[in-house]
Structures are given as C-alpha cells and as structure tokens.
Amino acid sequence: MPPVKPMLAKLVAKIPPGMQYEAKWDGFRAIVFRDRTEVELGSRTGKPLTRYFPELVTAVREWLPRRCVVDGEIVIAREGHLDFDALTERIHPADSRVRTLAERTPASLVVFDLLALDDESLMDVELTDRRALLTRALSGVRAPVHLAPATTDIEVAGQWFEQYEGAGLDGVIAKPLTLRYLPDERAMYKIKHERTADVVVAGYRFHKSGPVVGSLLLGLYDDRGTLQHVGVSAAFPMKRRAELVRELEALRMDDVRGHPWAAWADEVAHESARLPGAPSRWSGKKDLSWVPLRPERVAEVAYDHMENGVRFRHTARFRRWRPDRTPQSCTYAQLEEPVRYDLAEIFGP
C-alpha cells in the first residue's frame, strides 16, 4: 500500500561488472500502484503525483496488470529527446492547466521494476526473477507505457552510456543480480556523465546558517556578449564557506547597480535573459537575494549535462579557481554537446 519509497543508487565512477544494466532516465521517479480501477502515482518522497498526470492514469489502467505495484520513471519526450522543463510544468495547482498540458505534452511511463503482482509481494524476490516476471507481465505493453531495456552485457551498457545521452538520458544504472527491493536504501549504482566548464563567479548567496557562502552564482557569456546565469555551485564544507567570503570580499559590490544581473528582481527582465532569483512555483517565498560580485573571477566546475543547452541541469561541483582564464573566455562555445540520439531507437517503433 502507498506510500512506498523507491530504492536508490549510489554514485560510482565506472560501470561495475556482473550486474543488470539499465539506462538512467531523467524524469520523475514514480512508484505506481494499480488495484483494478484504482491508480496512484507515488513520488520519490511518497507524495502522490496522480492528479498531475491524468493521461498516465488512463494508460496504467489499459496496460499494466490489474493488480500490481511497479517502479518507474515519468518522462516527457519532444522530438525524440527527453524534456525535463516540460515535465516540471505539469506540477501546477490548476486542474484545467494540467489537463491542457496532458493533451499538449503527454507524459510516458518507463517501467523498470516489479514490487507486487496480484496478491504476492515481490520485495524479497531477487532482481533476476523480478525482471523475468516484469518482462512477462508487460509483454504486450504499448506507448505511453514502456518496459525499460535491460542487459547483463557490460559492453552493451557501455554503448548505452555513450549513445543514450544524446536522447537526454543521465547515464547508466547497475543493479546486483541477487538484489532484493530495498526502499529508500542506496543499494544500486549509478554512473553519470561528468564534464567540466570554466565559468564566471558573479555573486553568491548566504548559507541558511549564517554569514558564510551558501552557493556561488555562475555565469557564461552568450554569443551576444551577455553574461547569462547558468546555475550554482553549493557543496562546500562549513570551513570552506567562511573562507570563500574572505576570498571574494575584494570583488564584492556595494549594490547591484552596474552588475550584468542588475535587473534580477524585475520579473519582466527574466523573459529576455537568464538571471538569478527567477520567481517560480518552486521557490515560493524563499529568499532569493544575493551578494553581487564584480564578474572577474573564473572557476572550473564539473557538471553532468545542460538543460535545453542553456543551464546546468543539476548543481555544479566546484573544482578549482582558474586565474589563467579571463571571464570573457567563459562562453557557451566551450561546452561539449552530446551526439543526438532518438528515443525511438531505445523503445522501438
């Protein structure tokens, strides 16, 4: 019975041998419950997603077994590529908006594990047997529900790691063959793409605990010479957070006037430029104010991939300062673009 938290994965550098391998999908993780006409889509936190994806409720009733619990990912694809922005737009308070988007940008459900079937819990069943049962249960499934491809061939997994990124996927998941289903435990392994980029550090936000750096605000210059806000770097030990305040003090501006992101508080300005503090339903009443810095310091950061080619999909990881680089050299042109790959090649026709 819901809620059930999904089994999680720990990050490793290389694909481990002797396991089952799947693609790492970039969407909303969902534990899906079906009991005849009753359907619930549970999020990673256990809260229901059901009302936001009415088209998937219909699809689950049509294609999943009459009584089952499955683990999967809710995704939206556009032009053969995953679109996370379109997915986040679906979390909207207005039912009318949700139903409009369900028709305009319908979601898909990618299923990769089976937790229960009919009256039997499969949580203590080994992965190899769960996969066989899942494959049989979803043998006739059709879009928008998909059975996630899986393999035990590490060479195939390596090919997926290289190719699938072009369709917007995150990397590869590796699962021990004898693994039982362990909710909320990091019992699997994830291998993600990581690249580095040189970025301009143009400001910072304070940490919630006090006057130390909470996150660095990062920028890249576009082809018009405009410094665009592309994300943040936030994972620092507390001692390092205090050191950063001192290191950046000489660059601190008394106010935001004259800064490339001076219009950050103007909602209209966000329509034509990427600025820190963009209001959204995710930020709510959160304090988005920040300390402006003269955009003169360059840092190298690690990132997995870009979202729509304009910003870091996740929080970037600080690597080092780059005193040998000029801020003007920190442009989008340095970013490596993965070769495009159509989702149809993964799912078939």
Side-chain angles (χ1 to χ4, degrees), residues 284-346:
K285 297 181 179 180
K286 182 179 179 181
D287 181 10
L288 298 175
S289 60
W290 53 284
V291 176
L293 301 174
R294 295 197 310 277
E296 300 172 4
R297 182 72 69 94
V298 175
E300 179 183 326
V301 298
Y303 68 98
D304 41 26
H305 65 275
M306 302 295 289
E307 188 169 314
N308 293 333
V310 296
R311 64 179 179 270
F312 298 133
R313 168 71 178 82
H314 302 106
T315 301
R317 297 165 293 285
F318 183 89
R319 288 292 181 258
R320 56 177 175 154
W321 294 117
R322 290 296 304 267
D324 57 322
R325 293 294 301 268
T326 64
Q328 290 71 27
S329 69
C330 299
T331 68
Y332 282 96
Q334 69 180 297
L335 304 179
E336 179 185 348
E337 289 293 329
V339 177
R340 295 284 295 189
Y341 194 84
D342 197 315
L343 278 174
E345 296 295 323
I346 303 174

Side-chain angles (χ1 to χ4, degrees), residues 36-299:
R36 300 175 178 86
T37 61
E38 293 182 66
V39 174
E40 179 151 327
L41 312 178
S43 71
R44 175 169 169 169
T45 62
K47 296 181 180 179
L49 292 168
T50 315
R51 68 176 296 269
Y52 304 116
F53 299 97
E55 75 278 30
L56 289 185
V57 172
T58 300
V60 165
R61 288 175 180 148
E62 183 172 3
W63 295 114
L64 289 191
R66 285 172 56 82
R67 299 186 68 231
C68 67
V69 181
V70 301
D71 187 0
E73 196 99 357
I74 298 173
V75 299
I76 289 180
R78 284 180 173 175
E79 299 178 353
H81 193 272
L82 295 183
D83 188 337
F84 192 81
D85 272 352
L87 195 63
T88 61
E89 290 174 4
R90 297 295 295 276
I91 310 302
H92 198 282
D95 286 338
S96 58
R97 179 64 174 165
V98 167
R99 295 194 176 277
T100 296
L101 291 175
E103 295 181 5
R104 185 183 304 166
T105 54
S108 297
L109 175 66
V110 184
V111 180
F112 41 71
D113 210 336
L114 183 63
L115 281 63
L117 184 62
D118 296 326
D119 293 329
E120 184 180 2
S121 170
L122 303 176
M123 305 277 273
D124 289 329
V125 174
E126 294 184 354
L127 173 67
T128 300
D129 294 330
R130 291 203 312 275
R131 178 69 191 189
L133 289 168
L134 176 65
T135 301
R136 190 156 55 246
L138 270 61
S139 60
V141 75
R142 297 288 184 273
V145 178
H146 302 273
L147 173 64
T151 183
T152 55
D153 188 329
I154 194 170
E155 292 187 4
V156 173
Q159 294 172 6
W160 288 356
F161 184 79
E162 297 299 330
Q163 295 177 336
Y164 284 5
E165 185 188 15
L169 280 71
D170 255 354
V172 167
I173 293 288
K175 303 178 179 180
L177 299 177
T178 59
L179 183 64
R180 271 87 172 162
Y181 197 91
L182 305 172
D184 209 30
E185 292 191 28
R186 295 193 179 277
M188 307 181 294
Y189 304 95
K190 57 185 176 183
I191 307 91
K192 300 178 66 174
H193 298 275
E194 180 175 279
R195 297 176 173 83
T196 61
D198 294 324
V199 295
V200 181
V201 177
Y204 65 84
R205 290 196 177 96
F206 283 116
H207 194 265
K208 60 184 179 181
S209 66
V212 297
V213 168
S215 60
L216 299 176
L217 306 185
L218 313 176
L220 288 173
Y221 284 98
D222 63 19
D223 54 11
R224 298 170 299 174
T226 301
L227 186 65
Q228 302 284 1
H229 174 55
V230 296
V232 301
S233 182
F236 301 102
M238 192 56 67
K239 180 182 177 182
R240 182 60 180 145
R241 294 182 188 279
E243 292 172 349
L244 285 170
V245 173
R246 295 191 291 270
E247 287 180 27
L248 298 171
E249 181 62 30
L251 299 175
R252 186 166 175 170
M253 300 172 66
D254 292 334
D255 61 54
V256 78
R257 286 177 293 181
H259 192 280
W261 300 335
W264 74 278
D266 183 355
E267 289 191 27
V268 176
H270 288 273
E271 297 176 5
S272 58
R274 292 204 54 77
L275 307 173
S280 74
R281 60 185 175 276
W282 303 110
S283 56
K285 297 181 179 180
K286 182 179 179 181
D287 181 10
L288 298 175
S289 60
W290 53 284
V291 176
L293 301 174
R294 295 197 310 277
E296 300 172 4
R297 182 72 69 94
V298 175

